[in-house]
Amino acid sequence: MFDIAVSISSPAWEAVLPDAERLCVESALAVLGEATKPTELSIVLSSDADVRILNRDYRGKDTATNVLSFPSGLSADLSGTDMLGDVILAFETVSMEAARDGKSLEAHLRHLVVHGVLHLLGYDHETEDEATEMERREVEILGGFGISDPYTPVLEPVQ
């Protein structure tokens, strides 16, 4: 019932994470849960350059970012299939953040796919209450993969 299309437009993803497509599909499915009707979404593993253009053109921010979500705004097409939208991730930013925060690239990719798909489902973090609820869902879903709370601050080692 779920059709999750993963496109890899930046070969850097597969060079570092040969199972990136599987990680994306598993992470999206963990957010979507039990199928109640046919649902489609797209995940694009892209580059900073491409994400920067999208961020500039659609959000007015001329900079790369880790993940963008574009909800389709359509509840269902004529066949009854929900068209959720697109999630696009930028390799250089995601890998830099993972290294900076001492996280594996796999764990950070999973987190950002979960985050992006939650946006497609209507979750947001514009207010404190919205952010709290969205983060709670992310932590719960990531826990199912054995990934600890991504919002726990990384503590610098004491020297």
Side-chain angles (χ1 to χ4, degrees), residues 103 139 142-143 145-152:
K103 300 174 181 176
V139 169
L142 293 171
F145 293 110
I147 298 171
S148 61
D149 182 347
Y151 295 103
T152 301

Side-chain angles (χ1 to χ4, degrees), residues 115-136:
H115 184 88
V117 174
L118 284 170
H119 273 305
L120 297 182
L121 294 175
Y123 286 80
D124 213 334
H125 43 81
E126 294 297 318
T127 69
E128 189 173 326
D129 286 345
E130 289 175 339
T132 298
E133 177 58 18
M134 188 170 185
E135 289 173 13
R136 184 194 65 74

Side-chain angles (χ1 to χ4, degrees), residues 61-131:
K61 298 179 180 187
D62 192 12
T63 184
T65 189
N66 53 15
V67 62
L68 291 172
S69 294
F70 294 100
S72 73
L74 305 172
S75 60
D77 67 7
L78 294 176
S79 72
T81 300
D82 273 351
M83 310 292 280
L84 290 183
D86 306 302
V87 175
I88 301 113
L89 296 103
F91 177 77
E92 296 85 353
T93 298
V94 174
S95 59
M96 179 276 302
E97 290 173 346
R100 177 197 68 202
D101 296 343
K103 300 174 181 176
S104 72
L105 182 57
E106 176 182 327
H108 198 42
L109 172 62
R110 282 192 186 276
H111 175 212
L112 293 174
V113 169
V114 166
H115 184 88
V117 174
L118 284 170
H119 273 305
L120 297 182
L121 294 175
Y123 286 80
D124 213 334
H125 43 81
E126 294 297 318
T127 69
E128 189 173 326
D129 286 345
E130 289 175 339

